Amino acid sequence: SLSPVRRALLAVLACSIPVAVCAESLGVIHVDSSTIGDRFEDKRGEPSNQAVISGEQVDAAHSQNIQEMLQGIPGITTEVQSGDSLKIHIRGVENQVFMGEKPGVAVVIDGVPVFERTGRVNIDLDNIESIRVVKGGASYLFGDDALGGAVIITTKKGARHAGVRIAAEAGSFGTTKGLVRAGYAGEDSSGHVQVSRRQSDGYYDDSASKADYANGKWQYYLSDASDLQLGFELSNRHKNSHGAVTGVTAGAIDPTSADPAYNDYANHYDVDLQKLFLTYNRDFAGGDTLTLNTYRFADHTRFLTAPLANDPSSYTYDNDYLQVQRGLKGEYRSEGEGLAWMLATDLRANRYDSQVLYRVSGALPYPPFTVYNPGDVFDDNGTDERVLALYGELKFRPAEKWLVTANGRSDRIRLDYTDHTATAFADDSGVRDFNVGSWRLGGNYAAAENLDYYGNLSTGFRAPSVRQLFVGTGSPTQRVDPNPDLVPERSLNMELGIRRSGELFGLPTDLDVAIFQIDRHDHVQASAGQYTTDVTNRYENIGDMRSRGLELSLKTTAGDSLAWDIAYTYLDAYYLAYDNFNLRTCASINPFSGQCASYVTTAYDNTGNSVPRTPRHHLNLNLRYAPAAHWLVTTEVDTTSAYFADEINQEEIGGHSVVNLLLSHEREMAGGNWELFARVDNLFDRSYYNTVRGYTDSNLDGVYNTEDLSLVVNPGRRFNIGLAANF
């Protein structure tokens, strides 16, 4: 046992930590944190604001993409492209970028740290066991890019998926889905295999998409105390433009982006993903556990870039990108009455290969004025990434109602980049090592059986990319030089919260309220402005940002016929330092090419400006009502306040409210459980923009205004009906 002096010192330490919410008996201390699987059973002892969505909730919602599930979690914003592809942001971190950058959020599926070439993530909604969202700096567990948090997804597993499931859906814009799953459960093992296809003609012109999935999981029980899990997922997806047009006038008269002049810079994606993993779990006497995980994730993406000025339907480049991530993780846990701990390792060996070929003939308009033909190599490069990380967690109880949590992680990252071609920008090969430490310090105070307080300080980081370090970016009109001396971006999250369980209006209700502040330092960006400039430009650690706000979650468990959830976010995200932003407007047009011949550059100091696409207020209300046996009506109201579309905060986009409706009917008959549903999104056909971006004089008229915004119009009211049966 601890001496009185040591107990007093620990009590002083605990009292210096922001307090937090929990509600359960004070017994054995467990470590639930994991980068491999979802061990999250409840929020008891957790010093950070987290949210969990069960697979049953996902299945019951019949959503078209994961954005429709995540909008019910405070603090999350998502940028939807098409189908089930989206970029996830937490607490305003990285909302200002939109080309293909990492989102500042670590996404982990079955222990695999998933990052796709597009900077987005594609998730099979029909194969989700649970979704856990960790908010605030989360690199203490997940390492690189967890500046604003992490999303941990576990796919379906276990004996409860034994039997056969058949499902079919159809909806607006030619949307269809078919699914078949077969599973078994035996004394020694259980498993299932699932195949599905989801496709759509799309609301927007040239926006058809198709996604084929084949996935499964097999679990073998080696003994009463150990098991082995083998999982796989194969997917092939095709998608085209997501419907961007230039200017509010075009958005009003051409919402489907039918004008052939509107083609995304990158388009016609063909994506093959392959995920394989093997996990070993072992429980030891006394409560210790060991988990080992090895994985391989491959992303082969082919796409076109740079539409031709005289023929926007044709493109300049063929792009072929192959990414292979391999890793090995191990986590050992020990639990006890007064102390629990975890010690873990994370080893990664990743390879990224990119080749870009010309599709057309021409000559470079800058030295050395090289002539090129279709099939010639424009760029050919490869990167080896090695990560060696150690991380751990310590939980102890310095006093009866206190629980203190300390986390630490050390990452050693090596980036080895090789340029296989001699381009106009020379050989940019290089090697760079980063050694980065991350931590979390938090505490919980159990004030009562149903009332807890919590708080933490936590950190996140992101290492500079190969492009920022060695390659830069270039085109005939702009150039961003590389900088091998960049340092990692960092974030510091401060959070205080309260959790309480009880009754509200006669329904069992869980309340979770948190206030937070994230300071982000050493943001890497082009020194003279983002995406567009014709002045001297170089990647630098130039910017600081701050996100602060409040998150409120009220969740009820179902009563006899009624249940409801409320999620509210107040977010104030702004630049602490951003004094050199440059916006270009066209000064003269080349009469022969129709392109801009010269530009005028205006400098802005964006310090104090709001981060684009971060609404101050977001409210999501979900009401579930059972009018009769076997029937359920779900009404969702989602309301977002105004936000700025640009970093200079000139163009403000008004807020909107959307109502979604779901009607479902379940019944046992013909030897199975049958479900029929009908869902209507945007019930009142509300007109608004899915996303809006402003950063340059896009229409080359010499003025930057609403006619230069790149925007995607929401498709309006959508219907979806389906039938599923479990045998």
Side-chain angles (χ1 to χ4, degrees):
S1 62
L2 297 173
S3 67
V5 173
R6 290 184 177 180
R7 287 182 62 87
L9 289 174
L10 290 175
V12 171
L13 173 63
C15 290
S16 68
I17 299 172
V19 291
V21 183
C22 289
E24 201 179 301
S25 62
L26 301 175
V28 174
I29 302 174
H30 305 274
V31 175
D32 291 328
S33 298
S34 176
T35 71
I36 298 176
D38 190 0
R39 299 174 53 86
F40 192 80
E41 297 178 359
D42 55 55
K43 297 182 180 181
R44 174 62 173 159
E46 177 53 51
S48 301
N49 188 276
Q50 301 193 7
V52 178
I53 302 174
S54 69
E56 290 87 350
Q57 290 173 291
V58 176
D59 292 341
H62 299 290
S63 300
Q64 294 302 297
N65 55 58
I66 198 171
Q67 183 265 349
E68 296 172 357
M69 297 301 305
L70 295 179
Q71 66 187 10
I73 297 178
I76 288 189
T77 54
T78 53
E79 180 189 336
V80 179
Q81 284 223 310
S82 63
D84 52 4
S85 172
L86 76 162
K87 182 178 283 190
I88 301 169
H89 300 291
I90 297 178
R91 293 180 172 174
V93 173
E94 209 63 355
N95 275 67
Q96 77 278 9
V97 298
F98 51 83
M99 288 294 191
E101 301 87 348
K102 291 183 179 181
V105 175
V107 179
V108 180
I109 303 178
D110 289 324
V112 181
V114 174
F115 168 66
E116 296 183 24
R117 164 62 181 80
T118 59
R120 291 164 173 82
V121 63
N122 294 266
I123 298 167
D124 182 5
L125 284 175
D126 298 301
N127 192 34
I128 293 178
E129 184 80 5
S130 65
I131 304 171
R132 178 162 61 104
V133 178
V134 179
K135 304 174 196 174
S139 291
Y140 60 88
L141 270 182
F142 302 99
D144 193 27
D145 204 40
L147 291 165
V151 177
I152 306 97
I153 296 173
T154 302
T155 59
K156 293 186 184 298
K157 62 180 180 180
R160 69 187 189 88
H161 297 295
V164 175
R165 176 177 174 83
I166 302 174
E169 297 180 18
S172 301
F173 317 123
T175 300
T176 60
K177 188 192 81 171
L179 176 147
V180 177
R181 182 173 68 231
Y184 78 98
E187 293 185 1
D188 297 327
S189 64
S190 63
H192 73 272
V193 175
Q194 176 176 293
V195 294
S196 65
R197 166 173 286 189
R198 184 189 295 265
Q199 60 186 20
S200 174
D201 296 334
Y203 168 75
Y204 310 103
D205 183 67
D206 194 27
S207 66
S209 63
K210 182 181 72 172
D212 291 324
Y213 291 97
N215 44 57
K217 191 174 290 184
W218 175 73
Q219 186 172 14
Y220 180 69
Y221 312 111
L222 300 170
S223 68
D224 291 340
S226 62
D227 71 87
L228 196 65
Q229 292 183 31
L230 174 65
F232 75 92
E233 179 173 289
L234 307 175
S235 69
N236 174 253
R237 292 192 306 278
H238 304 270
K239 81 177 191 70
N240 296 331
S241 168
H242 57 74
V245 297
T246 301
V248 295
T249 299
I253 65 177
D254 185 20
T256 64
S257 188
D259 189 330
Y262 299 129
N263 271 301
D264 286 2
Y265 180 82
N267 208 342
H268 298 286
Y269 284 90
D270 184 355
V271 183
D272 289 303
L273 300 181
Q274 179 191 84
K275 177 164 65 75
L276 303 170
F277 71 92
L278 181 66
T279 303
Y280 170 75
N281 295 284
R282 172 66 190 274
D283 295 333
F284 298 97
D288 288 9
T289 61
L290 171 67
T291 305
L292 300 173
N293 170 261
T294 184
Y295 62 84
R296 182 184 187 274
F297 175 72
D299 172 359
H300 190 190
T301 298
R302 295 163 295 276
F303 58 104
L304 308 180
T305 53
L308 299 178
N310 58 352
D311 182 10
S313 63
S314 300
Y315 289 79
T316 308
Y317 305 110
D318 270 317
N319 298 259
D320 193 313
Y321 176 85
L322 178 62
Q323 167 183 311
V324 179
Q325 298 175 209
R326 301 181 182 90
L328 175 66
K329 297 181 181 182
E331 297 179 345
Y332 190 91
R333 293 174 183 76
S334 182
E335 62 183 37
E337 291 288 340
L339 180 70
W341 55 271
M342 174 184 69
L343 185 62
T345 185
D346 184 352
L347 310 176
R348 307 180 192 179
N350 303 328
R351 175 71 184 179
Y352 312 96
D353 289 295
S354 177
Q355 186 179 69
V356 183
L357 305 179
Y358 287 103
R359 294 172 54 87
V360 296
S361 299
L364 295 178
Y366 43 81
F369 304 106
T370 305
V371 175
Y372 54 81
N373 294 295
D376 288 350
V377 176
F378 172 75
D379 193 19
D380 188 359
N381 62 73
T383 301
D384 285 304
E385 180 185 39
R386 299 291 182 266
V387 178
L388 170 60
L390 298 175
Y391 60 98
E393 180 168 307
L394 178 67
K395 303 180 79 168
F396 61 94
R397 185 173 290 126
E400 181 181 359
K401 295 185 177 183
W402 281 94
L403 186 62
V404 175
T405 302
N407 293 82
R409 177 170 169 133
S410 175
D411 280 87
R412 179 177 177 82
I413 302 172
R414 164 160 287 201
L415 297 174
D416 186 347
Y417 172 77
T418 303
D419 186 351
H420 301 300
T421 59
T423 69
F425 306 127
D427 185 350
D428 301 313
S429 301
V431 179
R432 182 71 194 277
D433 293 323
F434 298 99
N435 296 297
V436 190
S438 310
W439 53 269
R440 177 181 68 166
L441 183 61
N444 297 262
Y445 179 70
E449 183 180 356
N450 64 345
L451 175 64
D452 299 339
Y453 300 92
Y454 66 91
N456 77 87
L457 300 173
S458 62
T459 64
F461 80 89
R462 177 164 62 198
S465 69
V466 161
R467 180 168 296 277
Q468 294 164 342
L469 290 166
F470 307 123
V471 184
T473 57
S475 76
T477 57
Q478 68 181 68
R479 173 71 179 164
V480 181
D481 292 326
N483 181 2
D485 298 322
L486 293 169
V487 300
E489 304 176 29
R490 294 179 179 272
S491 65
L492 174 64
N493 176 77
M494 295 170 279
E495 184 174 279
L496 292 168
I498 178 171
R499 297 187 185 105
R500 183 182 181 90
S501 60
E503 284 196 356
L504 187 62
F505 303 120
L507 294 175
T509 305
D510 293 324
L511 167 70
D512 197 332
V513 183
I515 58 174
F516 65 87
Q517 177 173 295
I518 298 180
D519 283 345
R520 181 181 177 189
H521 301 289
D522 293 324
H523 173 53
V524 177
Q525 189 171 292
S527 59
Q530 181 166 270
Y531 297 138
T532 176
T533 181
D534 60 350
V535 298
T536 301
N537 211 1
R538 168 181 162 101
Y539 282 110
E540 300 281 5
N541 292 106
I542 64 167
D544 293 338
M545 302 179 187
R546 171 171 290 169
S547 297
R548 53 171 45 162
L550 177 145
E551 297 165 350
L552 179 147
S553 173
L554 275 173
K555 289 187 174 293
T556 66
T557 55
D560 292 336
S561 61
L562 182 68
W564 50 271
D565 301 332
I566 294 177
Y568 169 73
T569 304
Y570 170 78
L571 175 64
D572 183 16
Y574 57 95
Y575 297 107
L576 290 172
Y578 192 1
D579 59 3
N580 191 21
F581 178 87
N582 290 266
L583 188 144
R584 292 193 312 173
T585 53
C586 184
S588 64
I589 298 290
N590 184 318
F592 300 103
S593 67
Q595 298 298 297
C596 190
S598 63
Y599 290 91
V600 173
T601 301
T602 304
Y604 289 86
D605 183 353
N606 292 334
T607 302
N609 284 5
S610 295
V611 174
R613 293 169 292 282
T614 55
R616 287 288 181 96
H617 306 279
H618 179 210
L619 175 66
N620 184 271
L621 171 63
N622 188 292
L623 178 66
R624 301 176 296 281
Y625 172 62
H630 310 297
W631 289 92
L632 181 65
V633 179
T634 302
T635 303
E636 179 186 43
V637 181
D638 193 77
T639 299
T640 298
S641 64
Y643 59 88
F644 288 104
D646 48 18
E647 284 140 307
I648 67 173
N649 285 187
Q650 175 179 304
E651 305 302 333
E652 187 175 25
I653 307 302
H656 63 269
S657 296
V658 177
V659 177
N660 305 319
L661 185 65
L662 172 66
L663 176 65
S664 59
H665 178 76
E666 286 193 51
R667 185 177 293 273
E668 296 281 346
M669 63 180 186
N673 178 267
W674 293 77
E675 181 188 10
L676 175 67
F677 79 89
R679 175 170 176 140
V680 183
D681 289 297
N682 198 353
L683 177 65
F684 298 110
D685 203 20
R686 180 80 163 88
S687 177
Y688 65 96
Y689 304 131
N690 281 352
T691 185
V692 189
R693 308 153 175 171
Y695 63 98
T696 192
D697 176 17
S698 299
N699 63 1
L700 306 181
D701 65 353
V703 179
Y704 170 71
N705 54 29
T706 58
E707 296 303 326
D708 297 299
L709 299 178
S710 174
L711 52 90
V712 179
V713 179
N714 183 270
R717 186 185 298 115
R718 291 172 293 154
F719 300 89
N720 200 50
I721 61 173
L723 177 67
N726 293 296
F727 300 96

